[in-house]
Amino acid sequence: MILHLHNGTSADQAEEIAEKTQSVYYEKDGRFILITPSKLQEPPTSFAEEIESSFVMSSDIQLASRSYRNEVREIDLKHTKIGGSTNNTIMITGPCSIESWEQIEQSADLLKSLGITTLRAGCYKPRTSPYSFQGLGLEGLKMLSKIREKYGFNIITEVRDASHVEDVIEHADIIQIGAKAMYDHGILRRCGKARKPVLLKRGFGSTLQEFVQAAEFILSGGNEDVMLCERGIRTFETKTRFTLDLCGVSYLKEHVNLPIILDTSHAMGYRYGVPDLTRACMAMGVDGLLIESHPNPAVAQSDAAQQLDFDQYWEMYSSLEPIAAAVGRNMV
Amino acid sequence: MILHLHNGTSADQAEEIAEKTQSVYYEKDGRFILITPSKLQEPPTSFAEEIESSFVMSSDIQLASRSYRNEVREIDLKHTKIGGSTNNTIMITGPCSIESWEQIEQSADLLKSLGITTLRAGCYKPRTSPYSFQGLGLEGLKMLSKIREKYGFNIITEVRDASHVEDVIEHADIIQIGAKAMYDHGILRRCGKARKPVLLKRGFGSTLQEFVQAAEFILSGGNEDVMLCERGIRTFETKTRFTLDLCGVSYLKEHVNLPIILDTSHAMGYRYGVPDLTRACMAMGVDGLLIESHPNPAVAQSDAAQQLDFDQYWEMYSSLEPIAAAVGRNMV
Amino acid sequence: MILHLHNGTSADQAEEIAEKTQSVYYEKDGRFILITPSKLQEPPTSFAEEIESSFVMSSDIQLASRSYRNEVREIDLKHTKIGGSTNNTIMITGPCSIESWEQIEQSADLLKSLGITTLRAGCYKPRTSPYSFQGLGLEGLKMLSKIREKYGFNIITEVRDASHVEDVIEHADIIQIGAKAMYDHGILRRCGKARKPVLLKRGFGSTLQEFVQAAEFILSGGNEDVMLCERGIRTFETKTRFTLDLCGVSYLKEHVNLPIILDTSHAMGYRYGVPDLTRACMAMGVDGLLIESHPNPAVAQSDAAQQLDFDQYWEMYSSLEPIAAAVGRNMV
Amino acid sequence: MILHLHNGTSADQAEEIAEKTQSVYYEKDGRFILITPSKLQEPPTSFAEEIESSFVMSSDIQLASRSYRNEVREIDLKHTKIGGSTNNTIMITGPCSIESWEQIEQSADLLKSLGITTLRAGCYKPRTSPYSFQGLGLEGLKMLSKIREKYGFNIITEVRDASHVEDVIEHADIIQIGAKAMYDHGILRRCGKARKPVLLKRGFGSTLQEFVQAAEFILSGGNEDVMLCERGIRTFETKTRFTLDLCGVSYLKEHVNLPIILDTSHAMGYRYGVPDLTRACMAMGVDGLLIESHPNPAVAQSDAAQQLDFDQYWEMYSSLEPIAAAVGRNMV
């Protein structure tokens, strides 16, 4: 259950109510918001005076639920907004990993020429083998900061584990939590205290319930700006890298109030399928599309098979425009 | 390996070559086409004179492969064609099960008003429980034949097991092989000898490789008119009935020469997600869309939760038109 | 709900009650047993006089449920019994496919030397490709009948689809329904009328609920002698052929009254793991172990990688004896 | 490829060779061990003098591979050893979470009475919801340290994320990396530098390849004492919490040189199946069994459904003894 306390309730009172109801809570614009375990199905009568409104929930999807807020949250991404009544679909692109200054500048030029404002590039790569390229780390983050200074983009980059979460929060405009880190409490709780939007990727072995509950860790820490990113789940099918779960996206659109971003690159794992899948996602009216592109995929140090080259990205981008128009979305 | 024998090779010669090469074969327009196990990687030199052309294959996806025919096969569905250079996307709808004459006439009227020419309705339901509605059987098939006489539609209906395959072949215009029967050799082999197009659904636990190999059973029997239908696979996610595998559809489009039909009703299992998913499929440029609709889903004897009512179908249909236009498809 | 009518209720009365309650029914020793859809939660008062006893069920697992019979059914397999209070674990072995008279005689000799009484061998192979060995068919069945005459074994062999179900019922002592045919109503219903025990394999994409419901098709047809066979499910892991679901076996042992047979050969797909897994199954106290063995696996026409040679089978058999003793099972 | 340099090669030389071959390396007993990416298939001739021996590998399973060391590593767990030629199966038990001093003392008494020397209890719980019990944290670790002082047990406890890895390393005797943290580089790399044995659990959505590669992060950091723990993978079956992958265990036993521990509690999720599954694992001859037990499962703050009470644990323990004897294992 979510409890909104009256404006003006003191911090001490809020803490006392939270303790008695085993709640997590945060303050927003002078109001305390408490979230009790979902099995509590009636507001506690002993605090009737302090409670302004209450929202009974059927599961631990609470702050993210349409039963709490029946709309997509609007999130301000500095250069643009998504969600709310914007009908915006944010186009995010860039290489899997930042590999060199030259490479990232080439990517920046692609974005500039298309009017795209959000650049993605990974510095800490969650590789499954210790014997492959692990990313440029802090050096990469600093290069991304320079790119922001030079081009004015929003930078989205991934935190891999809690050991470098402070560095990512410092250098990124949007913090990406990768699929393999979806359950990482160290990251989730820290992001709950951050003042920057978070893009949370679904673990490829995680249910929708667990996915949204991971977002609840961030939301209940007081950070209301969380986007969900579907990027493919692991199934028995191995001809493609993962299986993009668009049924799950339909579920999220119906039941959850967070903007939804789609990453078709990781789902497919092969560049030939990326444009088609991206067109499919656009037709579903999602809030964003996160696609990997690289000036020369053949020499990419990670995910070489799935990154589009710039011509392919450009061609795909053009083909998305009439579909966006058909479903009433603005590509931003 | 696929071997095309010269026109004029005799049946006896063809049989001898087939035996020596452990091949399956069929005759088409006076020419014998042999398919050897794929491990054979060089044409047998002893029959060099009889062999006109040969196609080496890397797996037992042979007749269906793009390495054999690098295009989508054109299939004539009586009222319309799909595949080839038609850019047609066939709209197929109707109830999960035929339940009564009145119900099926109402469905027929919906199709007529939208100009749709292919009606679906099941007579033999592959229910998982023996204690639920099992379908009208032969009586249902006869009603569908009457609908054809009255309205002139193409009828597509499902064969559940080999015990009634003859009846379905007699009464249907397009034979649907259901997901649970995908491996049924009795059905597959019989359909290989039928003179009617076949829509083969992917088993929900079946890999893409197995799916296309099931089609090979039909194709190698001499029936060249096979359509593949993706309808969702079974994964760990249970918030939706199945998981529609659009990555798999991308794979099929790249590697296989058969038209691809999408069934979003069974994938989603809940009507709220069907229109969105169907729009996604249209944006991928698929060859057909098979959607369940019912005059009154609340009283449907099977799949009540996922069938659209007529208003919902109509609204979805309208929303598909601009997307079809955007990707250059004709809704037929 | 299961309804036992009083002995002496007439067939007409039984039929009337069945119709009014939408039940499936069969007769056993002069008593009619009706099975209603499980949503019926109270016995119909209008037939209170005819109903001797009733069993309310929570799902469509009814006749197979421990809520109906809280024990493992005893099944008479001619040379031996399993289930009930026997503590017997039946050892079944033989080749994947019968390939020749010589091969099957060699297998028969192995069984004889170990005192095993049930021989497995497939005649109709449910291959995924039309371009590989498909089995000897009826010729194979006839050879198996001769083996029975000569050695006196029980023969278990697989029906692949409904087109040859009569032949298999005629020639087999135990009818095996393969994983790919688990949903085949044509087979299931026919086996419900057969007078021979049935071994039903779990579909590799099928839930436990669906698996047991498939058995309900047979049981509700009047054949009470059904064994369930777990043989591995399909998961994301591809280093092994399938994933043997022993958690599922625990579930079945707790909730279902049918004997449980384990097939570790198909689950593992590689002979190196078969003995270890078979020992694990024995320690769980299962009712039977179905293991593939072949006089010369290297030349086997199907499943070459997973069949044990005779030395390996013999060695595994010996290692099972102390484990059987430890858990109180008799190897028969 | 793994390269053993000659004893006496200097650190500078080792570093140079590592850099030139893009290797990770560590020092063990005065010898440098380098691990190159597995695609390197021939030892670099330019360093022929420094290289004592080399091991070519077919994948990035390298240090853990049977191609490198064809035996199970022996690991010293202070009170006992596992692996090597010990034939020991270590019994590990205790509650899911430490909840109070009283509770953990009761658990300690159970261990003492059975002669078990390794106590498990979680302090940082990787819950999927922020609104349920999260564990006692550092306070719990300190209580476990006191238990060690009082009873002399080995303590195994879980690190959930990198934010508290130092605390766990300080207080635990065996560091457990949970299923949800299997990919956490922050934890893996830190454990590679720790001087304590590590038990690494398989992520429930992780392949065997990824699982062992995660162990390679620790091994290549210089910590040679890693145990693998299979605890169930996520599949489509939901009647049980997860699916215990014993086929995977067979694979690991054949291909990997690390001891294997089985956790049947999390796999099953329901206590009724735990004893049967544990007997199955013992019959496979695994190196350890990690089972949850609780003085009063009904009031447990996490995993209440799957923990055994002490009578159940005791009964299961007794039933394991004859099986251990049958397969030649010592319960320690």
Side-chain angles (χ1 to χ4, degrees):
Chain A
M1 186 183 304
I2 301 171
L3 305 174
H4 283 202
L5 303 191
H6 284 289
N7 254 346
T9 309
S10 74
D12 283 356
Q13 278 175 300
E15 195 182 335
E16 189 201 338
I17 302 176
E19 201 172 308
K20 292 263 170 66
T21 54
Q22 297 184 287
S23 295
V24 173
Y25 72 104
Y26 69 97
E27 190 192 348
K28 179 76 183 177
D29 303 333
R31 178 204 306 287
F32 289 95
I33 297 174
L34 279 68
I35 310 99
T36 80
S38 60
K39 56 192 167 194
L40 191 65
Q41 291 286 305
E42 294 206 5
T45 49
S46 42
F47 302 109
E49 274 188 30
E50 286 83 1
I51 297 171
E52 187 189 84
S53 53
S54 62
F55 305 81
V56 177
M57 297 290 153
S58 59
S59 85
D60 271 351
I61 296 181
Q62 301 207 50
L63 293 168
S65 170
R66 288 278 175 143
S67 308
Y68 176 52
R69 288 171 63 171
N70 193 13
E71 57 175 355
V72 182
R73 285 160 190 254
E74 186 174 296
I75 298 185
D76 190 335
L77 299 171
K78 223 163 60 179
H79 295 289
T80 188
K81 291 178 177 174
I82 61 169
S85 54
T86 64
N87 284 324
N88 285 343
T89 297
I90 189 167
M91 302 299 296
I92 308 171
T93 194
C96 174
S97 302
I98 178 168
E99 295 164 357
S100 68
W101 178 255
E102 190 195 356
Q103 172 231 29
I104 203 69
E105 273 212 306
Q106 288 175 300
S107 289
D109 289 339
L110 173 71
L111 273 76
K112 210 174 152 188
S113 65
L114 284 163
I116 295 178
T117 56
T118 307
L119 172 72
R120 65 145 288 149
C123 302
Y124 298 90
K125 302 310 300 174
R127 306 304 294 275
T128 56
S129 164
Y131 313 126
S132 26
F133 176 68
Q134 308 288 316
L136 296 187
L138 184 57
E139 183 197 350
L141 287 180
K142 289 178 180 167
M143 283 160 70
L144 290 176
S145 281
K146 277 193 202 152
I147 286 285
R148 174 180 33 234
E149 283 165 35
K150 181 165 173 188
Y151 291 85
F153 297 145
N154 274 335
I155 302 295
I156 175 168
T157 193
E158 178 174 354
V159 51
R160 190 184 56 203
D161 61 72
S163 67
H164 52 262
V165 63
E166 297 302 335
D167 288 337
V168 172
I169 290 175
E170 180 185 339
H171 290 281
D173 300 295
I174 303 171
I175 306 152
Q176 177 178 321
I177 303 176
K180 289 174 183 161
M182 192 202 86
Y183 298 108
D184 189 318
H185 289 209
I187 294 173
L188 295 172
R189 290 186 190 284
R190 181 63 190 82
C191 286
K193 300 303 173 197
R195 304 262 149 223
K196 292 183 172 177
V198 176
L199 181 144
L200 177 67
K201 284 197 166 185
R202 180 181 183 183
F204 46 71
S206 304
T207 62
L208 294 164
Q209 181 78 25
E210 291 172 348
F211 182 25
V212 185
Q213 285 184 178
E216 295 275 335
F217 276 91
I218 307 170
L219 297 167
S220 64
N223 186 342
E224 299 195 331
D225 294 339
V226 180
M227 298 166 271
L228 298 178
C229 179
E230 160 63 27
R231 44 75 73 208
I233 58 173
R234 183 163 272 169
T235 69
F236 61 79
E237 182 54 61
T238 57
K239 291 284 191 194
T240 59
R241 190 172 181 190
F242 293 97
T243 301
L244 190 67
D245 182 11
L246 293 189
C247 289
V249 170
S250 279
Y251 174 84
L252 293 173
K253 285 180 68 178
E254 184 78 6
H255 295 97
V256 170
N257 62 39
L258 308 178
I260 297 165
I261 313 295
L262 268 290
D263 167 359
T264 56
S265 303
H266 284 88
M268 188 68 201
Y270 301 97
R271 71 179 62 79
Y272 73 76
V274 171
D276 247 1
L277 289 168
T278 308
R279 286 187 280 270
C281 296
M282 178 60 90
M284 289 188 77
V286 298
D287 302 291
L289 292 162
L290 178 70
I291 313 294
E292 288 184 345
S293 59
H294 191 284
N296 185 2
V299 302
Q301 298 211 52
S302 55
D303 286 350
Q306 76 196 28
Q307 304 195 53
L308 301 184
D309 69 25
F310 291 173
D311 285 348
Q312 290 163 337
Y313 187 84
W314 195 289
E315 189 184 333
M316 180 191 75
Y317 189 95
S318 303
S319 75
L320 291 170
E321 291 176 316
I323 301 173
V327 297
R329 306 294 301 181
N330 316 306
M331 290 166 68
V332 297
Chain B
M1 188 184 303
I2 301 171
L3 306 174
H4 283 204
L5 303 190
H6 283 290
N7 255 345
T9 310
S10 73
D12 283 355
Q13 280 174 298
E15 193 181 338
E16 190 201 339
I17 303 175
E19 200 171 308
K20 291 264 170 68
T21 55
Q22 298 183 286
S23 294
V24 173
Y25 73 104
Y26 70 96
E27 191 193 348
K28 178 78 185 176
D29 303 333
R31 180 205 304 286
F32 288 95
I33 297 173
L34 281 68
I35 310 100
T36 80
S38 59
K39 59 193 165 193
L40 192 64
Q41 291 287 305
E42 294 206 5
T45 50
S46 43
F47 303 108
E49 274 187 30
E50 286 83 0
I51 296 171
E52 186 187 84
S53 54
S54 61
F55 305 81
V56 177
M57 297 290 154
S58 59
S59 85
D60 270 352
I61 297 180
Q62 301 206 51
L63 294 167
S65 170
R66 288 277 176 144
S67 307
Y68 177 51
R69 290 172 61 172
N70 193 13
E71 57 175 356
V72 182
R73 286 161 189 255
E74 186 174 296
I75 298 184
D76 191 334
L77 299 171
K78 223 163 57 179
H79 295 290
T80 188
K81 292 178 177 173
I82 60 169
S85 54
T86 64
N87 284 324
N88 285 343
T89 297
I90 190 168
M91 301 299 297
I92 308 171
T93 195
C96 174
S97 303
I98 179 169
E99 295 163 359
S100 70
W101 177 254
E102 188 195 359
Q103 172 229 30
I104 203 68
E105 274 212 306
Q106 290 176 296
S107 289
D109 289 340
L110 172 72
L111 272 76
K112 209 174 155 190
S113 65
L114 283 164
I116 295 177
T117 57
T118 307
L119 173 71
R120 63 145 289 149
C123 302
Y124 299 90
K125 302 311 299 173
R127 305 305 293 273
T128 56
S129 166
Y131 313 125
S132 27
F133 176 67
Q134 307 288 316
L136 297 186
L138 185 56
E139 182 196 348
L141 287 180
K142 289 178 179 166
M143 283 160 71
L144 290 176
S145 281
K146 277 193 203 154
I147 285 285
R148 175 183 29 238
E149 283 165 36
K150 181 163 174 189
Y151 290 85
F153 296 146
N154 274 335
I155 302 294
I156 175 166
T157 193
E158 178 174 357
V159 51
R160 190 184 55 202
D161 60 74
S163 67
H164 52 261
V165 62
E166 297 302 337
D167 289 336
V168 171
I169 289 174
E170 181 186 340
H171 290 279
D173 300 295
I174 304 171
I175 306 151
Q176 177 177 321
I177 304 177
K180 289 174 183 161
M182 192 202 86
Y183 298 107
D184 189 319
H185 289 208
I187 295 173
L188 295 172
R189 289 185 191 286
R190 180 64 190 82
C191 286
K193 300 302 173 200
R195 304 263 152 223
K196 293 184 172 175
V198 177
L199 181 143
L200 176 67
K201 284 197 167 185
R202 180 182 185 183
F204 46 71
S206 304
T207 61
L208 294 164
Q209 182 77 25
E210 291 172 349
F211 181 25
V212 185
Q213 285 185 178
E216 295 275 334
F217 277 91
I218 307 170
L219 297 167
S220 65
N223 185 344
E224 299 194 332
D225 295 338
V226 179
M227 297 165 271
L228 298 178
C229 180
E230 160 64 26
R231 43 76 73 212
I233 58 173
R234 182 163 273 170
T235 68
F236 62 79
E237 183 54 61
T238 57
K239 291 284 190 193
T240 60
R241 191 173 180 189
F242 292 98
T243 301
L244 190 68
D245 183 11
L246 293 188
C247 288
V249 170
S250 279
Y251 174 86
L252 294 172
K253 287 181 67 176
E254 184 79 5
H255 295 97
V256 170
N257 63 40
L258 308 177
I260 297 164
I261 313 294
L262 268 289
D263 167 359
T264 56
S265 303
H266 284 86
M268 188 68 203
Y270 300 96
R271 71 179 63 80
Y272 73 77
V274 170
D276 246 1
L277 288 168
T278 307
R279 286 187 279 271
C281 296
M282 178 61 90
M284 288 188 77
V286 298
D287 302 292
L289 292 162
L290 179 70
I291 313 294
E292 289 185 345
S293 59
H294 191 285
N296 184 1
V299 303
Q301 297 209 51
S302 55
D303 286 350
Q306 77 195 27
Q307 303 196 54
L308 300 184
D309 69 26
F310 291 174
D311 285 348
Q312 290 163 335
Y313 187 83
W314 195 287
E315 189 184 333
M316 180 191 73
Y317 188 95
S318 304
S319 75
L320 291 170
E321 292 177 315
I323 301 174
V327 296
R329 306 294 301 180
N330 316 305
M331 291 166 67
V332 296
Chain C
M1 186 184 304
I2 301 171
L3 305 174
H4 284 205
L5 303 190
H6 283 289
N7 254 346
T9 310
S10 73
D12 284 355
Q13 280 175 297
E15 195 182 337
E16 189 201 340
I17 302 175
E19 202 171 307
K20 292 264 171 65
T21 55
Q22 298 183 287
S23 295
V24 173
Y25 72 105
Y26 69 96
E27 190 193 348
K28 179 78 184 176
D29 304 333
R31 179 204 306 286
F32 288 96
I33 298 173
L34 280 69
I35 310 99
T36 79
S38 59
K39 57 192 167 193
L40 191 65
Q41 292 285 304
E42 292 206 6
T45 51
S46 44
F47 302 109
E49 275 187 29
E50 287 83 0
I51 297 171
E52 186 187 84
S53 53
S54 61
F55 305 81
V56 177
M57 296 291 154
S58 59
S59 85
D60 270 353
I61 296 181
Q62 301 206 48
L63 294 167
S65 170
R66 288 277 176 143
S67 308
Y68 176 53
R69 289 172 61 172
N70 192 14
E71 58 176 353
V72 182
R73 285 160 190 256
E74 186 174 296
I75 298 185
D76 191 335
L77 299 172
K78 221 163 61 178
H79 295 289
T80 187
K81 292 178 177 174
I82 60 168
S85 55
T86 64
N87 284 324
N88 285 343
T89 297
I90 190 168
M91 302 299 297
I92 308 171
T93 194
C96 175
S97 302
I98 179 168
E99 295 163 0
S100 70
W101 177 254
E102 189 196 357
Q103 173 231 29
I104 203 67
E105 273 212 305
Q106 289 175 298
S107 289
D109 289 339
L110 173 72
L111 273 75
K112 208 174 154 189
S113 65
L114 283 164
I116 295 177
T117 56
T118 307
L119 173 71
R120 64 145 288 147
C123 302
Y124 299 91
K125 302 310 299 174
R127 305 305 293 272
T128 56
S129 166
Y131 313 124
S132 27
F133 176 68
Q134 307 287 318
L136 297 186
L138 185 56
E139 183 196 350
L141 287 180
K142 289 178 180 166
M143 283 160 70
L144 290 176
S145 280
K146 277 194 200 150
I147 285 285
R148 174 181 32 236
E149 283 166 35
K150 180 164 174 190
Y151 290 85
F153 297 145
N154 274 335
I155 303 294
I156 175 167
T157 193
E158 178 174 356
V159 52
R160 189 185 55 204
D161 61 72
S163 68
H164 53 261
V165 62
E166 296 302 337
D167 289 336
V168 172
I169 290 174
E170 180 185 340
H171 290 280
D173 300 294
I174 303 171
I175 306 151
Q176 177 177 323
I177 303 177
K180 289 173 184 162
M182 192 202 86
Y183 298 107
D184 189 318
H185 289 208
I187 295 174
L188 295 172
R189 290 185 190 285
R190 180 63 190 83
C191 286
K193 299 303 172 199
R195 305 258 152 229
K196 292 183 173 176
V198 177
L199 181 143
L200 176 68
K201 284 197 168 187
R202 180 182 184 182
F204 47 72
S206 303
T207 62
L208 294 164
Q209 181 79 25
E210 291 172 349
F211 182 24
V212 185
Q213 285 184 180
E216 295 275 335
F217 276 92
I218 307 170
L219 297 168
S220 64
N223 186 342
E224 299 194 331
D225 295 339
V226 179
M227 297 166 271
L228 298 178
C229 180
E230 160 64 26
R231 44 73 75 210
I233 58 173
R234 182 162 274 168
T235 68
F236 62 79
E237 183 54 60
T238 57
K239 291 285 190 193
T240 60
R241 191 173 181 189
F242 292 98
T243 301
L244 190 68
D245 183 11
L246 294 189
C247 288
V249 170
S250 279
Y251 175 86
L252 293 173
K253 286 181 67 176
E254 183 80 4
H255 295 98
V256 170
N257 62 40
L258 308 177
I260 297 164
I261 314 294
L262 268 290
D263 167 359
T264 56
S265 303
H266 284 86
M268 189 66 202
Y270 300 96
R271 72 179 62 80
Y272 73 77
V274 170
D276 246 2
L277 288 169
T278 308
R279 286 188 280 271
C281 296
M282 178 60 90
M284 288 188 77
V286 298
D287 302 291
L289 292 162
L290 178 71
I291 313 294
E292 288 185 346
S293 59
H294 191 285
N296 185 1
V299 303
Q301 298 209 53
S302 55
D303 286 350
Q306 78 195 26
Q307 303 196 54
L308 300 184
D309 70 26
F310 291 174
D311 286 347
Q312 290 163 336
Y313 187 84
W314 194 288
E315 190 184 332
M316 180 192 73
Y317 188 96
S318 304
S319 75
L320 291 170
E321 292 177 316
I323 301 174
V327 296
R329 307 294 302 180
N330 316 305
M331 290 166 68
V332 297
Chain D
M1 185 184 303
I2 301 171
L3 306 173
H4 283 202
L5 303 191
H6 284 290
N7 254 346
T9 309
S10 73
D12 284 356
Q13 279 175 300
E15 194 182 336
E16 189 201 338
I17 302 174
E19 201 172 307
K20 292 262 172 65
T21 54
Q22 298 184 287
S23 295
V24 172
Y25 72 104
Y26 69 96
E27 191 194 346
K28 178 78 184 179
D29 303 334
R31 179 203 305 286
F32 288 96
I33 297 173
L34 280 67
I35 310 99
T36 79
S38 59
K39 57 191 166 195
L40 191 66
Q41 292 286 304
E42 294 207 3
T45 50
S46 44
F47 303 109
E49 275 189 28
E50 286 83 0
I51 296 170
E52 187 188 86
S53 54
S54 61
F55 305 82
V56 177
M57 298 290 153
S58 59
S59 84
D60 270 352
I61 295 181
Q62 300 206 51
L63 294 168
S65 170
R66 288 276 175 145
S67 308
Y68 176 53
R69 289 171 63 171
N70 192 13
E71 57 175 354
V72 182
R73 285 160 189 254
E74 186 175 297
I75 297 185
D76 191 335
L77 298 172
K78 223 164 62 180
H79 295 290
T80 187
K81 291 178 177 173
I82 61 170
S85 54
T86 64
N87 284 323
N88 285 342
T89 297
I90 190 167
M91 302 299 297
I92 307 172
T93 195
C96 175
S97 302
I98 179 168
E99 295 162 359
S100 69
W101 178 255
E102 189 195 356
Q103 172 230 31
I104 202 68
E105 273 213 306
Q106 288 175 301
S107 289
D109 289 339
L110 173 73
L111 272 76
K112 209 175 154 189
S113 65
L114 283 163
I116 295 177
T117 56
T118 307
L119 172 71
R120 65 144 288 150
C123 302
Y124 299 90
K125 303 309 300 174
R127 305 304 293 275
T128 56
S129 165
Y131 313 125
S132 28
F133 176 67
Q134 307 288 316
L136 296 187
L138 185 57
E139 183 197 349
L141 287 180
K142 289 179 179 166
M143 282 160 70
L144 290 175
S145 280
K146 277 194 202 152
I147 285 285
R148 175 181 30 235
E149 283 165 35
K150 180 165 176 188
Y151 289 86
F153 297 145
N154 274 333
I155 302 295
I156 176 168
T157 193
E158 178 175 356
V159 52
R160 189 184 56 202
D161 61 72
S163 67
H164 52 261
V165 63
E166 297 301 335
D167 288 336
V168 171
I169 290 175
E170 180 186 339
H171 290 281
D173 300 296
I174 304 171
I175 306 151
Q176 177 177 323
I177 303 176
K180 290 174 184 161
M182 193 202 85
Y183 298 108
D184 189 319
H185 289 208
I187 295 173
L188 296 172
R189 289 186 191 284
R190 181 62 190 84
C191 287
K193 299 304 172 196
R195 305 261 151 223
K196 292 183 173 177
V198 176
L199 181 143
L200 176 68
K201 285 197 166 184
R202 180 182 185 183
F204 46 72
S206 304
T207 62
L208 293 164
Q209 182 77 25
E210 291 172 347
F211 181 25
V212 185
Q213 285 184 179
E216 295 274 334
F217 276 91
I218 307 170
L219 297 167
S220 64
N223 185 344
E224 299 194 332
D225 295 339
V226 179
M227 299 166 269
L228 298 178
C229 179
E230 160 63 26
R231 42 78 72 209
I233 57 173
R234 182 164 273 170
T235 69
F236 62 79
E237 182 55 61
T238 57
K239 291 285 191 194
T240 59
R241 189 172 181 189
F242 292 97
T243 301
L244 191 68
D245 182 11
L246 293 189
C247 289
V249 170
S250 280
Y251 175 86
L252 293 173
K253 285 181 69 176
E254 185 78 6
H255 295 96
V256 170
N257 63 39
L258 308 178
I260 297 164
I261 313 294
L262 268 290
D263 167 358
T264 56
S265 303
H266 284 86
M268 188 68 201
Y270 300 96
R271 71 179 60 79
Y272 73 77
V274 170
D276 247 2
L277 289 168
T278 307
R279 286 187 280 271
C281 296
M282 179 60 90
M284 289 188 77
V286 297
D287 302 291
L289 292 162
L290 179 69
I291 313 295
E292 287 185 346
S293 59
H294 191 285
N296 184 1
V299 302
Q301 298 210 50
S302 56
D303 286 351
Q306 78 195 26
Q307 303 196 55
L308 301 184
D309 68 26
F310 290 174
D311 286 348
Q312 290 163 337
Y313 187 83
W314 195 288
E315 189 184 333
M316 180 191 75
Y317 189 95
S318 304
S319 75
L320 291 170
E321 291 176 318
I323 301 173
V327 295
R329 305 295 301 181
N330 316 305
M331 291 166 67
V332 297

